[in-house]
Amino acid sequence: MTVRVRFAPSPTGMFHVGGARSALQNWIYAKQQGGVFVLRIEDTDAARNKPEWTEGILSALDWIGISRGSYEGPYFQSANAGEHRAAAARLHESGRAYYCDCTREDVQARTGSQYQGYDGYHRDRGLGPGPGHALRFRTPDEGATVVVDLIRGEPTFENKLIEDFVIARGDGSPVFLLANVVDDMTMGITHVIRAEEHLPNTPKQQLLWEALGVKPPIWAHVPVVVNEKRQKLSKRRDKVALEAYRDEGYLAGAMRNYLMLLGWAPSGDREIVPWSVIEDEFRLDEVNLSSAFFDEKKLRAFNGEYIRALPVAEFVDACQPWLTGTGTIAPPPWQPEEFDADAFAAVAPLAQTRIAVLSEIVPNVDFLFLASPLIDEAAWTKTMKDGSAELLDDAVAAFEALESWDAESLKSTLEAVGAERGLKLGKTQAPVRVAVTGRTVGLPLFESLEVLGRERTLTRMRAARLRLV
């Protein structure tokens, strides 16, 4: 038997990080088993579906390493509508489903409770199809449905506790529960790997598989992804869009690595490991049962490690979208003609050790490419105090006299200026840094001044001095 797994997102919004984790788990499992990864776009919610969301799914999968052409599909659920309706008809004809025109209010009136499930009122009344007549599955009265789950063992559900659930609406359109089952059957899916939030629907789906005469797939329900409050990650409340992390400057490798740790860990006391190790070691039966905490701070730390591990040339290439404003990345504050590739290459090794996401490259190097620095007014107020004007005067004079404009000479010269005032280097260089870069923190100052050059450095220091008059 060839293993066939599927990833079936809906094109109704940005690509959820939890969905990305499920995609990766399915992808790896298929590769390990010599199987097939199938992409199915569940696009039957016409009111919310947009073509750009479908393209977003495809591009997000590309980014995390599941590239177009390496999987089967994408298929679209809407294209299988005829099969969905045919399956509903077969279930009715075989007696496994029946029509019902009860409203929620009708059920509540009979049971006396708004919390009571459907009471089977129309099971044997012979109601036929018609407007407003929903089709309900006839759940067995006795026995239990056992779900074989690679992670959770064999969860067992008593059939008497499963109500006769709707499989087709009053207008004849099948509900998602049935459509999902029929699609999996049509595509020959052998293993369904998905989040545990779907587990309550699994016995219903398994009953549908069996009623349609097909052996159910093997299930694997991975732990749900939660925030720091142990709440399920929500699009409305949490930062969950994979595209947002991509556009902020998270590396695909770091994101892949981190997502795979949500509920699983590689061997040994390690977390940051090559992707080849994850592909080799990942096992569904080793996935934890407890909820998986998506820790953005930890992801950020992961990303910083991945950035620092890049060869400098690759780091320079990786920064280009933020330096040029390409694709979905916002343009930088400088004009294209102001950017100096050689200057950036000179400071790139310094910046690489100081940023955790690639978007941070812009505020670290913007002073190199702007006619004048973007002044952080809070930094100016904090730094430019009594004595700063005179210190800048002395520093300008000392720098003007330098024969060699290099980091070491600049540092020793400014140290001497501060020593005459009884100041340590940290206090001495603070006004110079703000005058030249506009900020109190950033790349190493003297290496930055070397790259910026004598003329531009002195011009900015003089301008800052005039502002202090």
Side-chain angles (χ1 to χ4, degrees):
M1 176 187 71
T2 299
V3 168
R4 291 176 61 83
V5 303
R6 50 80 165 170
F7 176 58
S10 299
T12 56
M14 303 295 276
F15 195 60
H16 197 290
V17 291
R21 181 194 62 163
S22 293
L24 289 170
Q25 290 171 332
N26 276 278
W27 176 257
I28 291 177
Y29 188 76
K31 288 190 69 175
Q32 290 176 338
Q33 304 299 318
V36 178
F37 176 95
V38 178
L39 175 62
R40 182 173 74 233
I41 306 296
E42 299 193 332
D43 63 337
T44 52
D45 188 348
R48 298 173 61 205
N49 295 337
K50 295 181 180 179
E52 56 265 36
W53 295 137
T54 296
E55 176 56 33
I57 291 169
L58 299 178
S59 63
L61 290 175
D62 280 341
W63 183 64
I64 60 172
I66 303 176
S67 57
R68 299 176 218 212
S70 64
Y71 49 79
E72 189 176 304
Y75 298 111
F76 291 86
Q77 189 171 65
S78 57
N80 211 24
E83 289 293 330
H84 304 157
R85 289 179 179 271
R90 291 200 304 275
L91 289 169
H92 179 246
E93 292 166 2
S94 66
R96 298 304 303 269
Y98 60 92
Y99 285 99
C100 168
D101 65 358
C102 293
T103 65
R104 185 172 299 177
E105 290 73 22
D106 292 337
V107 177
Q108 184 176 339
R110 287 197 301 270
T111 62
S113 171
Q114 62 178 318
Y115 304 109
Q116 183 72 33
Y118 179 66
D119 58 355
Y121 179 78
H122 273 292
R123 263 192 163 213
D124 301 305
R125 294 180 181 270
L127 186 68
H133 295 187
L135 187 63
R136 288 183 177 272
F137 182 77
R138 190 186 300 271
T139 303
D141 295 317
E142 300 178 348
T145 298
V146 179
V147 174
V148 178
D149 193 298
L150 293 177
I151 296 172
R152 300 174 186 278
E154 296 186 355
T156 301
F157 302 84
E158 292 187 58
N159 291 333
K160 65 181 180 181
L161 300 180
I162 304 173
E163 69 174 6
D164 289 355
F165 51 93
V166 174
I167 59 175
R169 304 176 184 88
D171 63 1
S173 61
V175 302
F176 173 77
L177 200 66
L178 177 61
N180 189 267
V181 167
V182 173
D183 289 343
D184 284 347
M185 288 181 181
T186 302
M187 297 172 187
I189 301 304
T190 62
H191 294 69
V192 174
I193 305 167
R194 59 188 183 181
E196 65 176 304
E197 64 197 77
H198 297 288
L199 184 58
N201 283 329
T202 304
K204 298 177 182 179
Q205 291 180 312
Q206 183 156 309
L207 286 169
L208 287 171
W209 278 82
E210 293 167 350
L212 289 167
V214 183
K215 182 181 178 181
I218 295 172
W219 311 92
H221 289 90
V222 300
V224 69
V225 182
V226 298
N227 62 19
E228 69 274 8
K229 295 181 180 179
R230 295 301 185 266
Q231 301 167 317
K232 179 187 171 185
L233 284 186
S234 166
K235 291 182 179 180
R236 296 180 180 179
R237 181 186 57 238
D238 304 304
K239 181 180 173 182
V240 301
L242 189 72
E243 297 95 327
Y245 288 100
R246 178 193 63 196
D247 293 351
E248 191 176 338
Y250 284 83
L251 298 178
M255 178 61 77
R256 283 198 306 264
N257 188 162
Y258 182 71
L259 288 176
M260 288 302 297
L261 297 182
L262 297 178
W264 175 82
S267 61
D269 186 19
R270 55 184 181 163
E271 293 182 311
I272 297 178
V273 295
W275 184 244
S276 59
V277 171
I278 293 176
E279 286 188 317
D280 182 59
E281 294 191 2
F282 176 70
R283 297 290 183 275
L284 276 174
D285 57 7
E286 294 177 358
V287 172
N288 297 324
L289 296 179
S290 56
S291 298
F293 171 34
F294 187 88
D295 185 347
E296 190 176 345
K297 292 180 180 178
K298 186 172 182 178
L299 171 60
R300 180 182 170 84
F302 260 58
N303 202 65
E305 291 289 336
Y306 269 80
I307 286 176
R308 288 186 285 278
L310 290 174
V312 175
E314 290 186 21
F315 172 71
V316 170
D317 287 342
C319 289
Q320 293 307 307
W322 288 267
L323 300 173
T324 59
T326 57
T328 56
I329 308 301
W334 55 80
Q335 295 301 311
E337 63 272 13
E338 295 177 298
F339 180 70
D340 184 336
D342 291 336
F344 178 69
V347 300
L350 305 175
Q352 186 174 3
T353 64
R354 285 167 171 77
I355 66 173
V357 293
L358 294 174
S359 58
E360 292 175 346
I361 195 62
V362 172
N364 272 278
V365 302
D366 59 5
F367 72 95
L368 285 172
F369 312 122
L370 295 170
S372 57
L374 298 173
I375 300 295
D376 179 341
E377 294 299 333
W380 180 278
T381 301
K382 178 181 178 181
T383 305
M384 298 303 192
K385 299 179 179 179
D386 292 344
S388 293
E390 292 76 12
L391 190 152
L392 285 174
D393 283 337
D394 292 348
V396 167
F399 285 171
E400 284 178 329
L402 277 176
E403 293 184 4
S404 177
W405 190 265
D406 60 80
E408 190 58 39
S409 299
L410 289 162
K411 179 181 178 182
S412 60
T413 298
L414 195 59
E415 279 183 317
V417 170
E420 291 180 2
R421 295 174 170 274
L423 298 175
K424 292 185 177 180
L425 182 59
K427 291 288 186 181
T428 308
Q429 70 178 6
V432 176
R433 178 183 289 278
V434 173
V436 175
T437 71
R439 299 179 175 87
T440 55
V441 294
L443 305 184
L445 177 62
F446 302 108
E447 288 81 355
S448 298
L449 300 185
E450 179 180 339
V451 174
L452 187 64
R454 184 191 302 266
E455 181 178 347
R456 296 175 72 193
T457 297
L458 294 176
T459 297
R460 293 181 183 191
M461 292 174 68
R462 293 187 187 108
R465 174 64 181 86
L466 289 174
R467 184 176 172 179
L468 291 171
V469 172

